[in-house]
Amino acid sequence: MTDPKLPALSQATDDAAMRGVLAAALDHGRTIPLGVWHEVLKHTPGKRCVVEYYIESGNDSEVEPVIGKLYREERGARIFEQLRHLRE
């Protein structure tokens, strides 16, 4: 899947690539995911994309859902800062 204004979309929809990305981002003493697969929930071309990832951890075949959102570069940076301040 590609979108010229969302260059990371091709990586975000590549399950093999996201296995490594999610393993690094979610590493809190967890094992490396056995598998990752995704479902695009909403894609507004040129603006944003919402992806749900299903992460198989290997603990009794437990699958954990994680939501990811992609935005255009400037908007994404602004939204990230807003969410960071909200969390604080």
Side-chain angles (χ1 to χ4, degrees), residues 4 11-12 28 35 42 46-47 64 67 72-73:
Q11 179 183 10
H28 298 286
K42 183 175 183 179
K47 293 187 178 183
E64 177 182 7
I67 299 289
R72 290 182 302 213
E73 188 172 348

Side-chain angles (χ1 to χ4, degrees), residues 2 7-8 11-12 14 17-18 30-31 43 47 49 56 60-61 67 71 74 77 82 87:
T2 61
Q11 179 183 10
D14 178 345
M18 289 309 295
R30 301 177 191 204
T31 59
H43 178 218
K47 293 187 178 183
C49 186
E56 184 179 7
D60 299 325
S61 299
I67 299 289
Y71 297 94
E74 304 82 29
Q82 290 172 350
R87 182 174 179 178

Side-chain angles (χ1 to χ4, degrees), residues 15-82:
D15 294 338
M18 289 309 295
R19 180 177 178 255
V21 170
L22 291 168
L26 300 174
D27 180 28
H28 298 286
R30 301 177 191 204
T31 59
I32 294 176
L34 294 176
V36 171
W37 62 98
H38 75 278
E39 177 182 353
V40 174
L41 300 178
K42 183 175 183 179
H43 178 218
T44 304
K47 293 187 178 183
R48 66 184 152 270
C49 186
V50 179
V51 182
E52 183 169 17
Y53 297 98
Y54 303 97
I55 304 168
E56 184 179 7
S57 66
N59 299 334
D60 299 325
S61 299
E62 182 180 327
V63 175
E64 177 182 7
V66 174
I67 299 289
K69 294 183 178 183
L70 289 152
Y71 297 94
R72 290 182 302 213
E73 188 172 348
E74 304 82 29
R75 182 174 166 93
R78 201 169 51 246
I79 289 171
F80 178 80
E81 282 303 311
Q82 290 172 350

Side-chain angles (χ1 to χ4, degrees), residues 2-9 46:
T2 61
D3 186 326
K5 293 193 176 185
L6 298 173
L9 185 58

